[in-house]
Amino acid sequence: MTAKFSSIPADRLPDLLQAMPKAELHMHIEGSLEPELIFALAQRNGVALSYPSVEALREAYAFTDLQSFLDIYYAGASVLLKEADFHDMAWAYFLRAKADNVVHAELFFDPQTHTERGVAFETVIRGLTSACERARSELGISSALIMCFLRHLSEEDAFKTLEQALPYREHFIGVGLDSSERGHPPEKFARVFAKCRELGLRLVAHAGEEGPPEYIINALDVLKVERIDHGVRCVEDPALVQRLAQQGTPLTVCPLSNIKLCVFKTMAEHNLRTLLDAGLKVTINSDDPAYFGGYVNENYLETFAALPLDASHAYTLARNSLEASFVDEAHKAGWISQLDEVFARAA
Ligand code: HPA
Ligand code: ZN
């Protein structure tokens, strides 16, 4: 099905990666806050920042691991206070997504980062929802929200967050698990995920970014997630790789994030091609694009520049992103036929 695209010349790849319709399934909306917007919102809200300028803030984006990033990421989010702030942040992301030919985006948001500072859950969800509706009507982008629990906090806190969220149940499609992975295994959230499952929410979790393969196994077996966010450390357990391939469990891989957080030293050492060769349903995503040096198309471009990947891989990755999304089959089929057209024209 896809091998026929291998003959598309490599110099056509950048245009093809740009033009192909794609879904983005792993993007933390708070991670799309560009330094310029952080400063503008700080000024609008009278929030003091500990960096004197946009340049100084950007220079601080030199991370050694996940935690060193999270410390700055939570500080950046402190400028978000009002509904309009959440709207403006998400709208800025959707404009970037449009430029990258993203047809569908499933956005993570971290309510606890905001409710802990006294911002109401309602403020967060209303601002994000209105941006999603605007993206649909003005840009033709389909989107959905996935609420993440912060895993460095307790399961009791996660239950409280779920309770706050339930009056807005129609505004989000699922739940995820993010923040500091090591020392906070999936099973810590077994009961709250079971509750979310009963409620009919879609389930995902970050696992195997910095944490070991057992975290991926427990995300599947204990939390019963449908997709694994990151998951790159699965390669350390061949039986797990085989299982993921057999089940067709999607991995939402974030190549630039992995380099910036030192999961891999260089892009040339990234295991994305290995994962694809093992038959895994790999997707490419931006994670926290304002912090990691690029939106989704930059992730595709830099990955393809560094690894032995051709147009057949591009097709597979874009198709995987559409198939792994939580939308109905009719929408998926429509986007896949658009994708087929783009590749037919290029071939
Ligand atoms: N990993 C875990 N938590 C996060 C990330 C990530 O890459 N981005 C934002 N929160
Ligand atoms: Zn993430």
Side-chain angles (χ1 to χ4, degrees):
M1 173 70 210
T2 61
K4 64 178 180 224
F5 302 128
S6 303
S7 57
I8 296 175
D11 64 357
R12 307 263 304 279
L13 264 173
D15 284 346
L16 197 53
L17 293 170
Q18 162 63 32
M20 63 188 192
K22 56 187 74 73
E24 175 145 60
L25 307 177
H26 183 162
M27 214 287 297
H28 303 262
I29 196 61
E30 293 90 348
S32 73
L33 260 186
E34 292 286 344
E36 289 78 6
L37 188 53
I38 290 178
F39 271 78
L41 293 178
Q43 192 165 39
R44 188 158 101 181
N45 290 330
V47 174
L49 292 170
S50 41
Y51 297 90
S53 65
V54 165
E55 294 69 34
L57 178 57
R58 216 182 273 284
E59 271 166 32
Y61 294 179
F63 312 115
T64 51
D65 61 4
L66 176 57
Q67 193 59 50
S68 66
F69 154 69
L70 289 170
D71 294 341
I72 282 196
Y73 164 82
Y74 294 130
S78 70
V79 300
L80 298 160
L81 293 180
K82 310 223 170 68
E83 190 177 316
D85 305 337
F86 291 92
H87 177 100
D88 292 351
M89 169 176 68
W91 181 246
Y93 164 73
F94 282 124
L95 292 174
R96 300 278 199 144
K98 182 69 185 173
D100 283 356
N101 281 308
V102 171
V103 293
H104 175 72
E106 295 178 4
L107 308 181
F108 294 141
F109 70 109
D110 286 342
Q112 288 159 298
T113 300
H114 315 301
T115 53
E116 268 193 331
R117 299 179 291 113
V119 176
F121 186 93
E122 179 178 7
T123 301
V124 179
I125 196 91
R126 288 207 186 283
L128 297 178
T129 299
S130 68
C132 290
E133 285 164 358
R134 187 175 170 197
R136 152 78 68 203
S137 64
E138 293 184 30
L139 305 174
I141 297 181
S142 149
S143 63
L145 297 172
I146 296 178
M147 173 172 81
C148 285
F149 299 120
L150 299 181
R151 69 202 302 160
H152 68 275
L153 300 178
S154 68
E155 186 179 44
E156 196 189 333
D157 285 336
F159 267 115
K160 281 188 202 140
T161 301
L162 179 60
E163 211 169 287
Q164 292 171 331
L166 285 181
Y168 308 95
R169 170 67 184 85
E170 77 268 29
H171 297 305
F172 61 100
I173 59 163
V175 297
L177 191 60
D178 66 1
S179 188
S180 323
E181 187 181 6
R182 279 192 290 229
H184 302 286
E187 56 272 24
K188 181 177 165 186
F189 296 90
R191 291 170 312 155
V192 74
F193 268 67
K195 179 70 190 171
C196 290
R197 192 156 175 261
E198 262 174 47
L199 291 167
L201 288 158
R202 311 302 296 257
L203 308 178
V204 299
H206 284 53
E209 176 187 18
E210 284 189 345
E214 299 81 69
Y215 283 24
I216 301 174
I217 295 169
N218 286 344
L220 294 170
D221 291 340
V222 181
L223 302 187
K224 306 201 183 301
V225 301
E226 302 166 77
R227 296 194 301 242
I228 296 289
D229 296 315
H230 293 295
V232 291
R233 285 194 61 191
C234 70
V235 292
E236 295 166 34
D237 180 345
L240 173 59
V241 171
Q242 202 176 9
R243 173 185 178 182
L244 291 167
Q246 228 156 34
Q247 293 180 173
T249 305
L251 300 188
T252 62
V253 176
C254 306
L256 281 172
S257 165
N258 293 153
I259 305 313
K260 288 284 149 68
L261 301 187
C262 309
V263 173
F264 300 95
K265 270 203 219 99
T266 66
M267 194 65 93
E269 291 165 83
H270 198 287
N271 67 10
L272 183 133
R273 169 74 200 250
T274 308
L275 299 171
L276 280 172
D277 287 348
L280 301 190
K281 205 174 185 74
V282 177
T283 64
I284 285 187
N285 307 272
S286 68
D287 208 7
D288 299 283
Y291 291 90
F292 299 150
Y295 288 76
V296 70
N297 279 5
E298 272 107 49
N299 273 272
Y300 276 100
L301 285 167
E302 293 206 26
T303 307
F304 275 71
L307 296 175
L309 297 165
D310 64 31
S312 65
H313 300 106
Y315 179 86
T316 297
L317 287 160
R319 185 168 174 137
N320 286 350
S321 75
L322 300 168
E323 287 178 348
S325 70
F326 292 141
V327 299
D328 59 67
E329 295 304 316
H331 279 95
K332 286 183 192 177
W335 292 324
I336 289 168
S337 65
Q338 286 176 30
L339 176 68
D340 287 345
E341 273 171 44
V342 167
F343 275 78
R345 252 181 277 131

